[in-house]
Amino acid sequence: MSEIQIKRYALGPVAANCYVVYRKGSHHAIVIDPADRADVIAAHCRDLGVVPEAVLLTHGHFDHIMAADEIRKKYQVSIYACKKEKELLASADFNLSKPFTGRPYTLEADVWVGDGEKLTFTDLSFEVLETPGHTAGSVCYYMREEAILFSGDTLFAGSYGRVDFPTSSPADMVHSLRDILFLLPEETLVYPGHNEASDIKTEKRYNAAVASWGGGRER
């Protein structure tokens, strides 16, 4: 199989990671969390020689979705999001666009997905893992064969997403990390919603979440 290519672009007011994912030699790509600046994302796609086939949202906060509708319209593609994120995406208060930017923004996905669903596109396949905690409808997109995880704001390198926003749940975050993500193969590469990449082995040992529930070594 062709090599997976992952390009990361930190965009928007809080530098959220937007990923353009494609196979080497392919002209089809998936855009994950188009944070802002649709023109910049389109320019990068043009330079890479790829055309987006779909937009995948890990969750509905404003800093991950502000370019989603423009990308959808430009390329005539569908936006995928968790069905449990519908209320948050539809509320400028819940998705934080109004309180954080003063510019209310809402969004409706084209395809609502749930835990365990397989999303298959021309060259790429993803498994949906529901990982509530940061928001009720947070999901990760797992490429099982390639051992690649796009974790959104559930899991960061050394940390995890805030749990004090609308629909957040500290208990759900613990469950999502301990009982879902940290059970993935240790070699799984983690591409988070902010900052640099990591892997499951490192996060199981050093992530701040582990110390908070009494396992692993404290940082």
Side-chain angles (χ1 to χ4, degrees):
M1 300 179 71
S2 300
E3 182 181 354
I4 298 291
Q5 303 291 300
I6 300 171
K7 303 299 182 181
R8 177 177 71 92
Y9 308 104
L11 301 170
V14 291
N17 288 335
C18 169
Y19 295 100
V20 176
V21 187
Y22 61 100
R23 289 192 183 275
K24 187 176 181 179
S26 173
H27 298 296
H28 303 279
I30 302 299
V31 176
I32 298 176
D33 287 353
D36 204 355
R37 295 296 305 274
D39 58 330
V40 171
I41 297 170
H44 284 305
C45 287
R46 183 173 61 251
D47 292 343
L48 294 170
V50 297
V51 175
E53 190 175 2
V55 170
L56 307 185
L57 302 180
T58 61
H59 65 293
H61 282 157
F62 78 99
D63 54 322
H64 293 258
I65 68 172
M66 294 297 285
D69 193 46
E70 289 184 67
I71 295 294
R72 167 167 56 188
K73 291 175 180 176
K74 179 176 178 61
Y75 296 103
Q76 295 296 295
V77 297
S78 294
I79 296 173
Y80 292 70
C82 180
K83 64 186 74 173
K84 295 177 182 176
E85 202 74 338
K86 183 177 290 191
E87 181 183 10
L88 187 143
L89 280 166
S91 168
D93 289 311
F94 281 13
N95 69 35
L96 306 180
S97 59
K98 184 177 179 181
F100 274 73
T101 73
R103 296 184 296 127
Y105 183 88
T106 60
L107 188 68
E108 176 84 9
D110 301 288
V111 182
W112 300 103
V113 300
D115 191 56
E117 287 192 39
K118 307 295 195 302
L119 307 180
T120 301
F121 304 100
T122 300
D123 297 305
L124 301 168
S125 295
F126 301 85
E127 182 177 341
V128 178
L129 302 180
E130 288 191 17
T131 52
H134 184 60
T135 68
S138 287
V139 297
C140 298
Y141 295 101
Y142 182 37
M143 304 180 79
R144 186 176 293 275
E145 291 186 7
E146 294 83 2
I148 293 170
L149 181 79
F150 296 93
S151 62
D153 285 5
T154 299
L155 176 62
F156 300 140
S159 188
Y160 54 95
R162 288 174 58 172
V163 290
D164 57 345
F165 291 135
T167 81
S168 293
S169 167
D172 284 348
M173 180 64 84
V174 170
H175 168 68
S176 292
L177 293 173
R178 184 182 60 195
D179 304 325
I180 300 174
L181 297 190
F182 287 177
L183 297 183
L184 296 176
E186 291 192 339
E187 66 271 18
T188 302
L189 298 176
V190 178
Y191 292 89
H194 297 273
N195 302 320
E196 301 300 321
S198 185
D199 59 70
I200 293 296
K201 181 178 181 180
T202 300
E203 297 314 309
K204 284 172 66 176
R205 183 175 183 185
Y206 295 110
N207 195 281
V210 179
S212 74
W213 65 62
R217 187 174 70 189
E218 291 193 10
R219 294 170 63 86

